[in-house]
PDB file of all heavy atoms in Angstrom:
ATOM      1  N   GLY L1132     -19.459  -3.466   6.539  1.00  0.00           N
ATOM      2  CA  GLY L1132     -20.458  -2.896   5.755  1.00  0.00           C
ATOM      3  C   GLY L1132     -19.962  -2.202   4.481  1.00  0.00           C
ATOM      4  O   GLY L1132     -20.660  -1.665   3.750  1.00  0.00           O
ATOM      5  N   ARG L1133     -18.627  -2.443   4.168  1.00  0.00           N
ATOM      6  CA  ARG L1133     -18.026  -1.768   2.998  1.00  0.00           C
ATOM      7  C   ARG L1133     -17.335  -2.849   2.250  1.00  0.00           C
ATOM      8  O   ARG L1133     -16.981  -3.867   2.560  1.00  0.00           O
ATOM      9  CB  ARG L1133     -16.958  -0.758   3.410  1.00  0.00           C
ATOM     10  CG  ARG L1133     -17.599   0.256   4.416  1.00  0.00           C
ATOM     11  CD  ARG L1133     -16.639   1.472   4.637  1.00  0.00           C
ATOM     12  NE  ARG L1133     -16.327   2.207   3.406  1.00  0.00           N
ATOM     13  CZ  ARG L1133     -15.620   3.378   3.455  1.00  0.00           C
ATOM     14  NH1 ARG L1133     -15.127   3.914   4.607  1.00  0.00           N
ATOM     15  NH2 ARG L1133     -15.392   4.009   2.301  1.00  0.00           N
ATOM     16  N   GLU L1134     -17.004  -2.423   0.990  1.00  0.00           N
ATOM     17  CA  GLU L1134     -16.429  -3.230   0.028  1.00  0.00           C
ATOM     18  C   GLU L1134     -14.865  -3.304   0.417  1.00  0.00           C
ATOM     19  O   GLU L1134     -14.183  -2.332   1.014  1.00  0.00           O
ATOM     20  CB  GLU L1134     -16.406  -2.704  -1.381  1.00  0.00           C
ATOM     21  CG  GLU L1134     -17.902  -2.978  -1.857  1.00  0.00           C
ATOM     22  CD  GLU L1134     -17.991  -2.584  -3.415  1.00  0.00           C
ATOM     23  OE1 GLU L1134     -17.061  -2.136  -4.029  1.00  0.00           O
ATOM     24  OE2 GLU L1134     -19.102  -2.691  -3.940  1.00  0.00           O
ATOM     25  N   ARG L1135     -14.151  -4.374   0.057  1.00  0.00           N
ATOM     26  CA  ARG L1135     -12.801  -4.383   0.231  1.00  0.00           C
ATOM     27  C   ARG L1135     -12.107  -3.431  -0.592  1.00  0.00           C
ATOM     28  O   ARG L1135     -12.330  -3.204  -1.684  1.00  0.00           O
ATOM     29  CB  ARG L1135     -12.277  -5.864  -0.136  1.00  0.00           C
ATOM     30  CG  ARG L1135     -10.862  -6.040   0.124  1.00  0.00           C
ATOM     31  CD  ARG L1135     -10.490  -7.557  -0.083  1.00  0.00           C
ATOM     32  NE  ARG L1135     -10.720  -8.028  -1.422  1.00  0.00           N
ATOM     33  CZ  ARG L1135     -11.085  -9.258  -1.716  1.00  0.00           C
ATOM     34  NH1 ARG L1135     -10.884 -10.217  -0.918  1.00  0.00           N
ATOM     35  NH2 ARG L1135     -11.170  -9.630  -3.039  1.00  0.00           N
ATOM     36  N   GLU L1136     -10.974  -2.875  -0.154  1.00  0.00           N
ATOM     37  CA  GLU L1136     -10.281  -1.840  -0.810  1.00  0.00           C
ATOM     38  C   GLU L1136      -8.768  -2.096  -0.829  1.00  0.00           C
ATOM     39  O   GLU L1136      -8.291  -2.587   0.245  1.00  0.00           O
ATOM     40  CB  GLU L1136     -10.464  -0.351  -0.220  1.00  0.00           C
ATOM     41  CG  GLU L1136     -10.004  -0.182   1.148  1.00  0.00           C
ATOM     42  CD  GLU L1136     -10.039   1.274   1.588  1.00  0.00           C
ATOM     43  OE1 GLU L1136      -9.842   2.109   0.711  1.00  0.00           O
ATOM     44  OE2 GLU L1136     -10.166   1.441   2.882  1.00  0.00           O
ATOM     45  N   ALA L1137      -8.206  -1.776  -1.771  1.00  0.00           N
ATOM     46  CA  ALA L1137      -6.658  -1.982  -1.848  1.00  0.00           C
ATOM     47  C   ALA L1137      -5.954  -0.643  -1.189  1.00  0.00           C
ATOM     48  O   ALA L1137      -6.492   0.418  -1.424  1.00  0.00           O
ATOM     49  CB  ALA L1137      -6.169  -1.909  -3.385  1.00  0.00           C
ATOM     50  N   ILE L1138      -5.074  -0.927  -0.286  1.00  0.00           N
ATOM     51  CA  ILE L1138      -4.439   0.204   0.342  1.00  0.00           C
ATOM     52  C   ILE L1138      -2.964   0.420   0.055  1.00  0.00           C
ATOM     53  O   ILE L1138      -2.398   1.476   0.180  1.00  0.00           O
ATOM     54  CB  ILE L1138      -4.705   0.146   1.865  1.00  0.00           C
ATOM     55  CG1 ILE L1138      -4.102  -1.145   2.490  1.00  0.00           C
ATOM     56  CG2 ILE L1138      -6.229   0.407   2.107  1.00  0.00           C
ATOM     57  CD1 ILE L1138      -4.210  -1.138   3.990  1.00  0.00           C
ATOM     58  N   ALA L1139      -2.259  -0.662  -0.242  1.00  0.00           N
ATOM     59  CA  ALA L1139      -0.785  -0.492  -0.508  1.00  0.00           C
ATOM     60  C   ALA L1139      -0.211  -1.752  -1.313  1.00  0.00           C
ATOM     61  O   ALA L1139      -0.867  -2.792  -1.270  1.00  0.00           O
ATOM     62  CB  ALA L1139      -0.066  -0.499   0.758  1.00  0.00           C
ATOM     63  N   CYS L1140       0.747  -1.488  -2.129  1.00  0.00           N
ATOM     64  CA  CYS L1140       1.302  -2.546  -2.934  1.00  0.00           C
ATOM     65  C   CYS L1140       2.944  -2.232  -2.939  1.00  0.00           C
ATOM     66  O   CYS L1140       3.375  -1.141  -2.730  1.00  0.00           O
ATOM     67  CB  CYS L1140       0.634  -2.681  -4.297  1.00  0.00           C
ATOM     68  SG  CYS L1140       0.887  -1.141  -5.338  1.00  0.00           S
ATOM     69  N   ILE L1141       3.708  -3.326  -3.281  1.00  0.00           N
ATOM     70  CA  ILE L1141       5.079  -3.312  -3.322  1.00  0.00           C
ATOM     71  C   ILE L1141       5.545  -4.124  -4.541  1.00  0.00           C
ATOM     72  O   ILE L1141       4.993  -5.289  -4.655  1.00  0.00           O
ATOM     73  CB  ILE L1141       5.686  -3.567  -2.028  1.00  0.00           C
ATOM     74  CG1 ILE L1141       7.280  -3.271  -2.110  1.00  0.00           C
ATOM     75  CG2 ILE L1141       5.414  -5.026  -1.645  1.00  0.00           C
ATOM     76  CD1 ILE L1141       7.815  -3.279  -0.653  1.00  0.00           C
ATOM     77  N   SER L1142       6.418  -3.575  -5.289  1.00  0.00           N
ATOM     78  CA  SER L1142       6.974  -4.404  -6.357  1.00  0.00           C
ATOM     79  C   SER L1142       7.840  -5.572  -5.872  1.00  0.00           C
ATOM     80  O   SER L1142       8.232  -5.682  -4.622  1.00  0.00           O
ATOM     81  CB  SER L1142       7.813  -3.431  -7.218  1.00  0.00           C
ATOM     82  OG  SER L1142       8.919  -2.952  -6.561  1.00  0.00           O
ATOM     83  N   THR L1143       8.273  -6.438  -6.860  1.00  0.00           N
ATOM     84  CA  THR L1143       8.987  -7.608  -6.474  1.00  0.00           C
ATOM     85  C   THR L1143      10.215  -7.472  -5.691  1.00  0.00           C
ATOM     86  O   THR L1143      10.496  -8.105  -4.722  1.00  0.00           O
ATOM     87  CB  THR L1143       9.165  -8.379  -7.734  1.00  0.00           C
ATOM     88  OG1 THR L1143       9.936  -7.709  -8.600  1.00  0.00           O
ATOM     89  CG2 THR L1143       7.826  -8.856  -8.412  1.00  0.00           C
ATOM     90  N   ALA L1144      11.030  -6.513  -6.104  1.00  0.00           N
ATOM     91  CA  ALA L1144      12.223  -6.183  -5.402  1.00  0.00           C
ATOM     92  C   ALA L1144      12.135  -5.259  -4.220  1.00  0.00           C
ATOM     93  O   ALA L1144      13.087  -4.875  -3.615  1.00  0.00           O
ATOM     94  CB  ALA L1144      13.389  -5.788  -6.319  1.00  0.00           C
ATOM     95  N   GLY L1145      10.902  -4.612  -3.990  1.00  0.00           N
ATOM     96  CA  GLY L1145      10.807  -3.737  -3.105  1.00  0.00           C
ATOM     97  C   GLY L1145      11.160  -2.409  -3.394  1.00  0.00           C
ATOM     98  O   GLY L1145      11.266  -1.463  -2.494  1.00  0.00           O
ATOM     99  N   LEU L1146      11.409  -2.044  -4.635  1.00  0.00           N
ATOM    100  CA  LEU L1146      11.903  -0.703  -5.034  1.00  0.00           C
ATOM    101  C   LEU L1146      10.735   0.260  -5.285  1.00  0.00           C
ATOM    102  O   LEU L1146      10.971   1.436  -5.226  1.00  0.00           O
ATOM    103  CB  LEU L1146      12.761  -0.976  -6.236  1.00  0.00           C
ATOM    104  CG  LEU L1146      13.882  -1.779  -6.263  1.00  0.00           C
ATOM    105  CD1 LEU L1146      14.729  -1.890  -7.581  1.00  0.00           C
ATOM    106  CD2 LEU L1146      14.900  -1.183  -5.211  1.00  0.00           C
ATOM    107  N   ARG L1147       9.484  -0.287  -5.400  1.00  0.00           N
ATOM    108  CA  ARG L1147       8.449   0.668  -5.682  1.00  0.00           C
ATOM    109  C   ARG L1147       7.246   0.310  -4.655  1.00  0.00           C
ATOM    110  O   ARG L1147       6.914  -0.847  -4.570  1.00  0.00           O
ATOM    111  CB  ARG L1147       7.958   0.440  -7.018  1.00  0.00           C
ATOM    112  CG  ARG L1147       6.825   1.389  -7.490  1.00  0.00           C
ATOM    113  CD  ARG L1147       6.232   1.201  -8.859  1.00  0.00           C
ATOM    114  NE  ARG L1147       7.235   1.117  -9.717  1.00  0.00           N
ATOM    115  CZ  ARG L1147       7.777   0.100 -10.492  1.00  0.00           C
ATOM    116  NH1 ARG L1147       7.095  -1.083 -10.195  1.00  0.00           N
ATOM    117  NH2 ARG L1147       8.667   0.128 -11.416  1.00  0.00           N
ATOM    118  N   THR L1148       6.766   1.287  -3.975  1.00  0.00           N
ATOM    119  CA  THR L1148       5.637   1.182  -3.165  1.00  0.00           C
ATOM    120  C   THR L1148       4.634   2.242  -3.564  1.00  0.00           C
ATOM    121  O   THR L1148       4.874   3.375  -3.923  1.00  0.00           O
ATOM    122  CB  THR L1148       5.922   1.316  -1.721  1.00  0.00           C
ATOM    123  OG1 THR L1148       6.700   2.467  -1.417  1.00  0.00           O
ATOM    124  CG2 THR L1148       6.835   0.101  -1.159  1.00  0.00           C
ATOM    125  N   ASN L1149       3.310   1.862  -3.525  1.00  0.00           N
ATOM    126  CA  ASN L1149       2.320   2.799  -3.856  1.00  0.00           C
ATOM    127  C   ASN L1149       1.189   2.631  -2.719  1.00  0.00           C
ATOM    128  O   ASN L1149       1.016   1.582  -2.228  1.00  0.00           O
ATOM    129  CB  ASN L1149       1.773   2.623  -5.251  1.00  0.00           C
ATOM    130  CG  ASN L1149       2.717   3.020  -6.320  1.00  0.00           C
ATOM    131  OD1 ASN L1149       3.276   4.091  -6.175  1.00  0.00           O
ATOM    132  ND2 ASN L1149       2.952   2.222  -7.285  1.00  0.00           N
ATOM    133  N   TYR L1150       0.455   3.800  -2.596  1.00  0.00           N
ATOM    134  CA  TYR L1150      -0.530   3.729  -1.409  1.00  0.00           C
ATOM    135  C   TYR L1150      -1.792   4.428  -1.949  1.00  0.00           C
ATOM    136  O   TYR L1150      -1.798   5.311  -2.718  1.00  0.00           O
ATOM    137  CB  TYR L1150       0.004   4.613  -0.228  1.00  0.00           C
ATOM    138  CG  TYR L1150       1.265   3.914   0.249  1.00  0.00           C
ATOM    139  CD1 TYR L1150       2.538   4.283  -0.137  1.00  0.00           C
ATOM    140  CD2 TYR L1150       1.301   2.862   1.210  1.00  0.00           C
ATOM    141  CE1 TYR L1150       3.635   3.770   0.291  1.00  0.00           C
ATOM    142  CE2 TYR L1150       2.458   2.367   1.533  1.00  0.00           C
ATOM    143  CZ  TYR L1150       3.739   2.856   1.231  1.00  0.00           C
ATOM    144  OH  TYR L1150       4.884   2.318   1.677  1.00  0.00           O
ATOM    145  N   ALA L1151      -2.947   3.848  -1.360  1.00  0.00           N
ATOM    146  CA  ALA L1151      -4.168   4.564  -1.553  1.00  0.00           C
ATOM    147  C   ALA L1151      -4.121   5.949  -0.897  1.00  0.00           C
ATOM    148  O   ALA L1151      -3.409   6.029   0.230  1.00  0.00           O
ATOM    149  CB  ALA L1151      -5.327   3.780  -1.009  1.00  0.00           C
ATOM    150  N   ASP L1152      -4.939   6.890  -1.325  1.00  0.00           N
ATOM    151  CA  ASP L1152      -4.880   8.288  -0.713  1.00  0.00           C
ATOM    152  C   ASP L1152      -5.300   8.179   0.869  1.00  0.00           C
ATOM    153  O   ASP L1152      -4.851   8.983   1.541  1.00  0.00           O
ATOM    154  CB  ASP L1152      -5.836   9.160  -1.331  1.00  0.00           C
ATOM    155  CG  ASP L1152      -5.343   9.693  -2.828  1.00  0.00           C
ATOM    156  OD1 ASP L1152      -4.120   9.344  -3.184  1.00  0.00           O
ATOM    157  OD2 ASP L1152      -6.096  10.016  -3.550  1.00  0.00           O
ATOM    158  N   SER L1153      -6.209   7.230   1.084  1.00  0.00           N
ATOM    159  CA  SER L1153      -6.728   7.109   2.461  1.00  0.00           C
ATOM    160  C   SER L1153      -5.608   6.725   3.456  1.00  0.00           C
ATOM    161  O   SER L1153      -5.769   6.994   4.754  1.00  0.00           O
ATOM    162  CB  SER L1153      -7.628   6.126   2.516  1.00  0.00           C
ATOM    163  OG  SER L1153      -7.263   4.844   2.134  1.00  0.00           O
ATOM    164  N   VAL L1154      -4.379   6.188   3.095  1.00  0.00           N
ATOM    165  CA  VAL L1154      -3.437   5.903   3.921  1.00  0.00           C
ATOM    166  C   VAL L1154      -1.960   6.428   3.687  1.00  0.00           C
ATOM    167  O   VAL L1154      -1.092   6.350   4.503  1.00  0.00           O
ATOM    168  CB  VAL L1154      -3.254   4.260   4.062  1.00  0.00           C
ATOM    169  CG1 VAL L1154      -4.563   3.572   4.290  1.00  0.00           C
ATOM    170  CG2 VAL L1154      -2.649   3.820   2.750  1.00  0.00           C
ATOM    171  N   LYS L1155      -1.904   7.187   2.562  1.00  0.00           N
ATOM    172  CA  LYS L1155      -0.703   7.820   2.259  1.00  0.00           C
ATOM    173  C   LYS L1155      -0.085   8.720   3.334  1.00  0.00           C
ATOM    174  O   LYS L1155      -0.984   9.528   3.765  1.00  0.00           O
ATOM    175  CB  LYS L1155      -0.845   8.606   0.913  1.00  0.00           C
ATOM    176  CG  LYS L1155       0.332   8.960   0.161  1.00  0.00           C
ATOM    177  CD  LYS L1155       0.003   9.413  -1.218  1.00  0.00           C
ATOM    178  CE  LYS L1155      -0.607   8.551  -2.143  1.00  0.00           C
ATOM    179  NZ  LYS L1155      -0.813   8.996  -3.441  1.00  0.00           N
ATOM    180  N   GLY L1156       1.116   8.520   3.501  1.00  0.00           N
ATOM    181  CA  GLY L1156       1.805   9.275   4.533  1.00  0.00           C
ATOM    182  C   GLY L1156       1.636   8.701   6.050  1.00  0.00           C
ATOM    183  O   GLY L1156       2.278   9.226   6.934  1.00  0.00           O
ATOM    184  N   ARG L1157       0.755   7.762   6.161  1.00  0.00           N
ATOM    185  CA  ARG L1157       0.558   7.095   7.392  1.00  0.00           C
ATOM    186  C   ARG L1157       1.058   5.721   7.610  1.00  0.00           C
ATOM    187  O   ARG L1157       1.453   5.141   8.623  1.00  0.00           O
ATOM    188  CB  ARG L1157      -0.883   7.368   7.924  1.00  0.00           C
ATOM    189  CG  ARG L1157      -1.450   8.667   8.018  1.00  0.00           C
ATOM    190  CD  ARG L1157      -2.862   8.633   8.704  1.00  0.00           C
ATOM    191  NE  ARG L1157      -3.810   7.936   7.862  1.00  0.00           N
ATOM    192  CZ  ARG L1157      -4.475   6.922   8.251  1.00  0.00           C
ATOM    193  NH1 ARG L1157      -4.377   6.578   9.583  1.00  0.00           N
ATOM    194  NH2 ARG L1157      -5.346   6.404   7.408  1.00  0.00           N
ATOM    195  N   PHE L1158       0.896   4.959   6.382  1.00  0.00           N
ATOM    196  CA  PHE L1158       1.275   3.658   6.330  1.00  0.00           C
ATOM    197  C   PHE L1158       2.535   3.391   5.421  1.00  0.00           C
ATOM    198  O   PHE L1158       2.731   4.125   4.473  1.00  0.00           O
ATOM    199  CB  PHE L1158       0.006   2.770   5.666  1.00  0.00           C
ATOM    200  CG  PHE L1158      -1.082   2.629   6.536  1.00  0.00           C
ATOM    201  CD1 PHE L1158      -1.391   3.386   7.737  1.00  0.00           C
ATOM    202  CD2 PHE L1158      -2.209   1.793   6.131  1.00  0.00           C
ATOM    203  CE1 PHE L1158      -2.447   3.282   8.492  1.00  0.00           C
ATOM    204  CE2 PHE L1158      -3.380   1.773   6.982  1.00  0.00           C
ATOM    205  CZ  PHE L1158      -3.433   2.519   8.137  1.00  0.00           C
ATOM    206  N   THR L1159       3.304   2.370   5.777  1.00  0.00           N
ATOM    207  CA  THR L1159       4.430   2.070   5.159  1.00  0.00           C
ATOM    208  C   THR L1159       4.488   0.593   4.797  1.00  0.00           C
ATOM    209  O   THR L1159       4.491  -0.191   5.844  1.00  0.00           O
ATOM    210  CB  THR L1159       5.884   2.474   5.877  1.00  0.00           C
ATOM    211  OG1 THR L1159       5.703   3.918   5.950  1.00  0.00           O
ATOM    212  CG2 THR L1159       6.992   2.231   5.096  1.00  0.00           C
ATOM    213  N   MET L1160       4.670   0.175   3.595  1.00  0.00           N
ATOM    214  CA  MET L1160       4.698  -1.187   3.211  1.00  0.00           C
ATOM    215  C   MET L1160       6.282  -1.660   2.902  1.00  0.00           C
ATOM    216  O   MET L1160       6.813  -0.824   2.240  1.00  0.00           O
ATOM    217  CB  MET L1160       3.906  -1.615   2.062  1.00  0.00           C
ATOM    218  CG  MET L1160       3.890  -3.040   1.709  1.00  0.00           C
ATOM    219  SD  MET L1160       2.656  -3.437   0.574  1.00  0.00           S
ATOM    220  CE  MET L1160       2.759  -5.340   0.491  1.00  0.00           C
ATOM    221  N   SER L1161       6.673  -2.802   3.334  1.00  0.00           N
ATOM    222  CA  SER L1161       7.941  -3.248   3.018  1.00  0.00           C
ATOM    223  C   SER L1161       7.954  -4.717   2.752  1.00  0.00           C
ATOM    224  O   SER L1161       6.944  -5.468   3.134  1.00  0.00           O
ATOM    225  CB  SER L1161       8.889  -2.878   4.117  1.00  0.00           C
ATOM    226  OG  SER L1161       8.640  -3.456   5.266  1.00  0.00           O
ATOM    227  N   ARG L1162       9.162  -5.304   2.346  1.00  0.00           N
ATOM    228  CA  ARG L1162       9.235  -6.682   2.204  1.00  0.00           C
ATOM    229  C   ARG L1162      10.614  -7.202   2.319  1.00  0.00           C
ATOM    230  O   ARG L1162      11.453  -6.466   2.128  1.00  0.00           O
ATOM    231  CB  ARG L1162       8.698  -7.080   0.755  1.00  0.00           C
ATOM    232  CG  ARG L1162       9.546  -6.657  -0.444  1.00  0.00           C
ATOM    233  CD  ARG L1162       8.831  -6.964  -1.740  1.00  0.00           C
ATOM    234  NE  ARG L1162       8.762  -8.347  -1.894  1.00  0.00           N
ATOM    235  CZ  ARG L1162       7.947  -8.851  -2.921  1.00  0.00           C
ATOM    236  NH1 ARG L1162       7.227  -8.062  -3.707  1.00  0.00           N
ATOM    237  NH2 ARG L1162       7.914 -10.224  -3.110  1.00  0.00           N
ATOM    238  N   ASP L1163      10.555  -8.417   2.712  1.00  0.00           N
ATOM    239  CA  ASP L1163      12.014  -9.071   2.896  1.00  0.00           C
ATOM    240  C   ASP L1163      12.038 -10.374   2.143  1.00  0.00           C
ATOM    241  O   ASP L1163      11.293 -11.293   2.452  1.00  0.00           O
ATOM    242  CB  ASP L1163      12.401  -9.325   4.405  1.00  0.00           C
ATOM    243  CG  ASP L1163      13.639  -9.863   4.617  1.00  0.00           C
ATOM    244  OD1 ASP L1163      14.214 -10.596   3.648  1.00  0.00           O
ATOM    245  OD2 ASP L1163      14.261  -9.552   5.656  1.00  0.00           O
TER     246      ASP L1163
END
């Protein structure tokens, strides 16, 4: 019943991650 929301992103080399306030401090994004 809700719209899709962005919650996390990561830059191409994995040096930068950003989070939505709703998940900040609880979710961690990474890449290989």
